[in-house]
Each structure stands twice: as structure tokens, then as C-alpha cells.
Amino acid sequence: LAKELGRNNYQFFTSDLMIRAQHRYTLERNLRRALVDEEFLLYYQPKVSLDDGKIVGAEALIRWHMPEMGVIEPNEFVPFSEEIGLIVPMGRWVLSKACEQAQKWRQQFNIDFKISVNISPKQFQDPKLPQFILDVLLASGLPAHALQLEITEGLLMVEAEHLSLVFDAIKTLGISISLDDFGTGFSSLSYLQRFPIDNLKIDRSFIHEIPENQDSVVLTKAIIAMSSALGMSVTAEGVENLAQQNFLKEAGCDEIQGFYFSKPISVEDFSQLLSQHTSTSSAN
Ligand code: C2E
Ligand code: MG
Ligand code: MG
Ligand code: MG
């Protein structure tokens, strides 16, 4: 019996592996097709200044509209795309689309509006990235100061020799760099000196526990104080209620992003939001 059970387990294990391999293969094929057929789209989530409550920019967030499957969230395909290297062409698509859209809004509403784009480690390590970004800026007309790249702490731990070169090239263009999900990585704080970071984006796991959790309160205050002492601006992500917003304003945080103000929304909805927002601001 034991032998039989063992064999069955073994068979189950093999077929499970096969299913997983097949799934990966299918996913990869579907993702490559999606890139060609333009099945990806960008949602935009506003970033709001805590000084005056105005929309100062947005983060572009990718979605995959798969025919007959509906909209698929990035956590379902971004990590895999990074793994197979498809993130590089996908990320290029995101950059050009986001810059183009941001420049349209800047012109349409006559606003100083900054667009943030997530850049995965593999993309950032691509030595062709600065030239590609320059091409995108020239094609879209977006000024360099209106583009911000969101990178994660993990990237800074890679001992890539050309990492500093990419940073230098990007900084020379006048583009700003934000450290996303700050506080969740294993990064030593010395990276903040070594690399030209302009903005810290406090991870939403800290914000989520404010104001109940005293540790989150203390850590958030410390991150805000540190960023200002080092001459960086600071953004809080995942702001879901008024209490969190009030706390962050009091603590001196520069800008917030989160469901309390708005979820990530489509181009059409964002245009509508901007048109309401800019008309009410000018009336005040
Ligand atoms: P992220 O860069 O940290 O983006 C913020 C995520 O938090 C978004 O999830 C957003 O919808 C979510 N979020 C915003 N406000 C709130 C809130 O108040 N509460 C909660 N619970 N969540 C909030 P999303 O759009 O599903 O994106 C997930 C991650 O996928 C992103 O995390 C980013 O790491 C990655 N990603 C998205 N788009 C791209 C892209 O174009 N390129 C790359 N490389 N990665 C991307
Ligand atoms: Mg981000
Ligand atoms: Mg984030
Ligand atoms: Mg996060």
C-alpha cells in the first residue's frame, strides 16, 4: 500500500509540475501576444500635495485587458515578466504611453503635472534606458522635470558597475528618482548617500497601521524627518482615510497617494477628475 501511495504521490507531483510548466509557457505566449496586440492599458492614480490639496501628478499603473478574461492586475504578471525579461519592452511601452498622456494633460489643463513611472530592476539595468527616455521626452514634448522614475530598494543592492552610470545619465537629463515601497527592503541607509534619490515613498504597510500602531507612527515620523534632513521630498502611499491624511500633514509629509483621494482610474476618468479639480481650484 505504501508503495502504491508513493507512486501515486510521485505521479501527482510530476503532472503538477507539467501543469505549472505549461501554465508558464501559455502565460509567456499570451503576454508576448498582448504586447503586439496592445492589450495593456494604463490606469492613473493621483498624487496630492498636502500643502494645498492640489493634484500634483499621478502614478501610471499597468493593467492587462485580456480578451474574455477581463482586467488582470500587475501583481499577476509583472513579476513573471521581469523574470523572463519581457518587462524591458513592456516597460518601454509604459514609459512612452505615460509620458505622452501626461503631456496631453499638462497642455489641456495648463498645469504643472508630474508623471511617475515604475521601473523594474531589469529595466533600470538596461544601459539603453537613458537614451530611450530621451527619445520618449523628445517625441512627447514632456519636460524632463515632469518625469519621475519609481525604483525599489532591491535594485540598489545589485552590485552592477554601470548602475551609477545609468543614475548619472538620468540625473543629467533632469529626471527625478523616487524610492518606492520605502522601508520594506533590506537596504542599508547608506544607499541614500550613494545614489541620487530625490523622493522617498513610504510603503503603505506603515501607513495602513496609522494611527493605532505606535511603531508605525514613530517610523513614519522618522522617515519624514530623515528625508527632509537629507533634502529629499516624501510621499505616502496607501492613504485610505482622513485620520491618516491629517497625521501625515501634521508630520510634514509632502504628498499623498491612496484610495482616500482616489483609486487608480482610467484615462477618461482621470481627465474628468482634472477638469473638475482645475475648475474648482481656480474658482477659489
Ligand atoms: P506600487 O508601485 O507600489 O503601486 C502602488 C500600488 O498600491 C498599486 O497597485 C495601487 O493600486 C495600490 N494602492 C494605491 N493606493 C492604495 C490604497 O490606499 N490602499 C491599498 N490597499 N492599495 C493602494 P497595483 O496597481 O495593483 O500595482 C501593484 C504593483 O505592480 C506596483 O506597486 C508596482 O510594483 C507594479 N507595477 C504596476 N505597474 C507597473 C509598471 O508599469 N511597471 C512595473 N515595473 N511595475 C508596475
Ligand atoms: Mg510605484
Ligand atoms: Mg509603492
Ligand atoms: Mg507598496
Side-chain angles (χ1 to χ4, degrees), residues 59 61 117-118 150 180-181 201 237 257:
E59 177 174 12
L61 294 157
V117 177
N118 293 288
E150 293 193 5
D180 203 353
D181 305 332
K201 200 167 175 188
E237 68 172 18
Q257 182 183 342

Side-chain angles (χ1 to χ4, degrees), residues 152 180-182 184 201-205 237-238:
T152 47
D180 203 353
D181 305 332
F182 186 75
T184 56
K201 200 167 175 188
I202 310 171
D203 190 67
R204 69 163 181 265
S205 56
E237 68 172 18

Side-chain angles (χ1 to χ4, degrees), residues 8 42 90 188 221 271:
N8 281 343
L42 294 180
M90 189 188 286
S188 100
K221 281 184 178 166
S271 298

Side-chain angles (χ1 to χ4, degrees), residues 41-249:
L41 66 158
L42 294 180
Y43 269 36
Y44 295 88
Q45 187 177 33
K47 296 196 183 194
V48 177
S49 163
L50 281 174
D51 280 338
D52 55 11
K54 285 193 181 161
I55 297 176
V56 288
E59 177 174 12
L61 294 157
I62 195 169
R63 300 286 182 268
W64 179 11
H65 193 167
M66 206 183 173
E68 285 146 42
M69 292 285 284
V71 175
I72 302 170
E73 302 286 310
N75 291 335
E76 304 283 334
F77 63 90
V78 165
F80 181 69
S81 301
E82 165 88 14
E83 199 187 310
I84 63 174
L86 194 67
I87 197 72
V88 174
M90 189 188 286
R92 288 198 182 123
W93 179 85
V94 172
L95 267 167
S96 22
K97 205 78 181 170
C99 291
E100 198 181 293
Q101 186 57 59
Q103 183 59 5
K104 273 190 200 157
W105 282 326
R106 288 171 62 86
Q107 290 181 323
Q108 188 182 348
F109 298 102
N110 192 29
I111 42 171
D112 191 13
F113 182 87
K114 189 180 263 192
I115 188 75
S116 300
V117 177
N118 293 288
I119 305 289
S120 82
K122 213 165 253 172
Q123 237 188 313
F124 201 89
Q125 288 165 63
D126 174 11
K128 295 198 198 88
L129 182 71
Q131 182 62 50
F132 180 79
I133 292 177
L134 181 57
D135 292 344
V136 165
L137 292 178
L138 292 174
S140 63
L142 186 78
H145 76 262
L147 175 61
Q148 181 173 64
L149 307 184
E150 293 193 5
I151 58 166
T152 47
E153 290 169 273
L155 168 72
L156 307 180
M157 297 167 47
V158 181
E159 269 312 317
E161 183 187 319
H162 61 266
L163 200 56
S164 297
L165 294 177
V166 177
F167 268 109
D168 289 346
I170 281 166
K171 292 307 296 176
T172 305
L173 290 176
I175 293 160
S176 60
I177 295 175
S178 171
L179 201 47
D180 203 353
D181 305 332
F182 186 75
T184 56
F186 300 95
S187 144
S188 100
L189 293 175
S190 69
Y191 289 119
L192 297 178
Q193 281 189 307
R194 242 175 89 203
F195 296 106
I197 309 293
D198 303 285
N199 174 273
L200 292 184
K201 200 167 175 188
I202 310 171
D203 190 67
R204 69 163 181 265
S205 56
F206 297 104
I207 308 304
H208 188 69
E209 301 187 303
I210 288 173
E212 312 84 57
N213 186 319
Q214 196 52 28
D215 290 346
S216 296
V217 164
V218 169
L219 284 168
T220 301
K221 281 184 178 166
I223 296 173
I224 294 170
M226 177 180 70
S227 66
S228 116
L230 291 173
M232 297 180 286
S233 63
V234 60
T235 305
E237 68 172 18
V239 177
E240 292 185 349
N241 58 53
L242 183 61
Q244 291 164 349
Q245 179 177 307
N246 287 340
F247 167 84
L248 290 160
K249 191 178 160 77

